[in-house]
Amino acid sequence: KTARLSYMITKELQDSLQTVEEQALETLVEHICNAGRIFLTGAGRSLLMVKCCAMRLMQIGLTAYVPGETTTPAIRSGDLLIAVSGSGETDTVALMIKKAKAHGAETALLTMVPDSTMGGLADLVLVIEASSTKVADNSGKKSIQLGGSRFELSVLILLEIIVMQAAEKLHIEDPNQLLMQNHANLE
């Protein structure tokens, strides 16, 4: 049973990730590499996914923050905000995109719904075809996974791919060595 379910879940994730437009992905990696600082946001489980990415970005030597954490500074021109919202309608995340743009920052969105409120606000939109119980029209995408897990796990993997590509683009010779140098040691 476990092997069957793991195959079905990973097949769903692979199918979703294959829908991401390669040019949009490359553009986001370019923005990450050129940003002064990177801010990542989402709500609920999407927020947990972006926290993983913020940690990895920091570990490869980039400056990354998660809004709402006590040490997050003000966003400004030259910075990048990456938002994640399956529906593209999460009010608090949409507000952060508006505020980031008002302060001159670039914005990117990872979503299932490009023609959403946030899709219309963000400078760059990466679409992940997945499913979620929070989105009425899943464009025919179904999932054996609960809630928005297909989207959220796809986001986690996509963000890991983005970090790997950023490390390569930045010519980091040994990303794992750098990662371990920056890995938390007060644990």
Side-chain angles (χ1 to χ4, degrees):
K1 185 175 182 176
T2 302
R4 185 174 120 294
L5 286 174
S6 66
Y7 171 79
M8 293 170 71
I9 290 169
T10 55
K11 176 73 171 106
E12 284 185 357
L13 299 178
Q14 185 177 31
D15 290 346
S16 289
L17 290 166
Q18 287 178 349
T19 67
V20 177
E21 184 184 306
E22 200 66 37
Q23 184 57 53
L25 179 62
E26 290 174 19
T27 301
L28 180 55
V29 170
E30 185 76 30
H31 283 273
I32 287 169
C33 292
N34 293 326
R37 301 172 303 171
I38 303 125
F39 294 73
L40 298 102
T41 191
R45 288 169 48 109
S46 292
L47 178 60
L48 297 175
M49 302 304 110
V50 301
K51 285 184 176 189
C52 292
C53 183
M55 178 187 289
R56 278 288 182 254
L57 290 170
M58 175 276 297
Q59 289 172 337
I60 65 164
L62 298 176
T63 304
Y65 297 101
V66 176
E69 299 294 324
T70 56
T71 57
T72 302
I75 198 166
R76 61 181 179 234
S77 179
D79 292 337
L80 171 66
L81 174 70
I82 300 172
V84 175
S85 173
S87 67
E89 298 297 338
T90 311
D91 292 338
T92 54
V93 181
L95 181 59
M96 282 192 222
I97 292 175
K98 288 177 186 174
K99 286 186 171 194
K101 290 178 73 73
H103 290 283
E106 293 288 317
T107 58
L109 172 67
L110 279 63
T111 187
M112 293 183 294
V113 188
D115 59 347
S116 60
T117 298
M118 282 185 258
L121 293 170
D123 298 311
L124 175 65
V125 179
L126 272 75
V127 180
I128 302 170
E129 291 183 17
S131 58
S132 171
T133 53
K134 293 173 90 175
V135 177
D137 175 22
N138 285 311
S139 305
K141 295 286 179 189
K142 302 291 181 207
S143 180
I144 65 163
Q145 300 173 67
L146 300 177
S149 290
R150 181 173 177 174
F151 173 73
E152 295 143 3
L153 292 175
S154 295
V155 164
L156 180 64
I157 294 168
L158 181 60
L159 290 172
E160 192 66 21
I161 290 167
I162 288 168
V163 172
M164 291 169 64
Q165 290 184 357
E168 183 179 315
K169 187 163 193 64
L170 293 167
H171 305 290
I172 297 172
E173 202 168 303
D174 188 346
N176 279 319
Q177 181 183 8
L178 182 59
L179 184 150
M180 289 313 297
Q181 287 172 359
N182 291 324
H183 194 281
N185 59 8
L186 293 177
E187 51 185 20

